[in-house]
Amino acid sequence: MKVIIFGATGMVGQGALRECLAAPDVEAVLTVGRTPTGQKHPKLTELVHAEMWHYEKIEAELSDYDACFYCVGVSAAGLSEKAYTHLTYDMTLAVAATLARRNPGMVFVYVSAAGAAADGKLMWERVRGRTENAVFALPFRAAYAFRPGMIQPLDGIKSKTVAYRVFYSLTKPILPLLRSAMPRQVLTTRMLGQAMLAAVRGQANKRILESADLNELGRAGAA
């Protein structure tokens, strides 16, 4: 399979990229983002693209791919609903609509968040939920919304968000204990990447997957 990853420099995207490069059935990986990942690999092609709401000039380079892992995510802290919608719904749909037109046989995996709901009480829940629904409405071969909760970064992976880096630094000693105590609720970057690949392979049995579903799917993908 040939995979496109958006957000490959973020924590989730780094995990997805690592698993894709290691997977025997992934023949090529294209990363698209404002900054390069800094990685070198025979399978990897990087496309630095500053305007994340417009893809007219690079559409041809986004054709003939089997899957997209959309791992771009921003914190809603300090943002209005309009601003958060622009950075979440609008940006995601700019990518997804372009890819659905160029690759109708594609599987699209949107990394959402635990608690997302179009009728949610919190602003970010509603925006994330509306984004999920809009992705589902596009003519992909299949589309999935991943709703991870707590994620343990492995393999030297770090979040780009300062607040998250501080959080993971403080909780690093206890995250393995939490995973042991709640193995279905705490994910790892490896497990999430494996779950993405498993979804493309047709191993997912629902289109909205919560943490417990993702852990199960990730184990199936790694088997």
Side-chain angles (χ1 to χ4, degrees):
M1 71 178 86
K2 296 172 65 178
V3 178
I4 302 178
I5 302 176
F6 283 80
T9 59
M11 186 178 73
V12 173
Q14 289 177 62
L17 177 58
R18 180 184 184 277
E19 299 308 314
C20 284
L21 295 178
D25 60 344
V26 176
E27 61 179 286
V29 181
L30 172 68
T31 62
V32 184
R34 291 191 176 102
T35 58
T37 66
Q39 296 197 42
K40 302 294 182 183
H41 193 280
K43 293 183 184 180
L44 178 61
T45 300
E46 297 197 277
L47 182 56
V48 177
H49 182 66
E51 181 47 79
M52 299 297 285
W53 288 268
H54 300 283
Y55 295 90
E56 297 85 356
K57 294 180 180 179
I58 63 167
E59 276 198 26
E61 297 176 74
L62 304 178
S63 300
D64 301 318
Y65 282 85
D66 304 294
C68 175
F69 300 151
Y70 189 86
C71 307
V72 179
V74 298
S75 170
L79 296 178
S80 66
E81 184 161 353
K82 180 179 179 180
Y84 187 66
T85 296
H86 186 55
L87 291 168
T88 301
Y89 182 99
D90 294 345
M91 188 186 293
T92 305
L93 268 293
V95 172
T98 300
L99 293 179
R101 184 171 62 253
R102 304 293 304 202
N103 307 277
M106 172 178 276
V107 174
F108 191 92
V109 175
Y110 170 58
V111 181
S112 184
D119 59 351
K121 294 182 178 180
L122 300 178
M123 176 271 284
W124 71 265
E125 294 175 343
R126 296 192 298 273
V127 174
R128 285 284 196 172
R130 290 199 302 267
T131 305
E132 293 177 355
N133 291 340
V135 168
F136 293 150
L138 292 170
F140 289 113
R141 174 165 65 89
Y144 300 96
F146 281 19
R147 294 178 176 177
M150 189 174 292
I151 304 170
Q152 179 186 2
L154 300 177
D155 308 303
I157 291 172
K158 295 181 180 180
S159 173
K160 292 173 62 177
T161 305
V162 174
Y164 291 168
R165 287 203 303 271
V166 171
F167 170 79
Y168 285 116
S169 176
L170 294 174
T171 59
K172 184 177 181 179
I174 65 170
L175 276 175
L177 299 176
L178 287 174
R179 282 195 65 228
S180 297
M182 301 182 296
R184 290 169 55 82
Q185 301 305 318
V186 182
L187 289 158
T188 67
T189 47
R190 286 181 202 164
M191 192 66 74
L192 199 49
Q194 286 294 336
M196 292 181 192
L197 290 170
V200 181
R201 295 175 186 135
Q203 294 173 279
N205 59 10
K206 59 178 74 173
R207 65 181 186 178
I208 296 177
L209 297 107
E210 309 287 351
S211 289
D213 305 311
L214 293 170
N215 261 315
E216 184 178 344
L217 185 59
R219 286 193 295 271

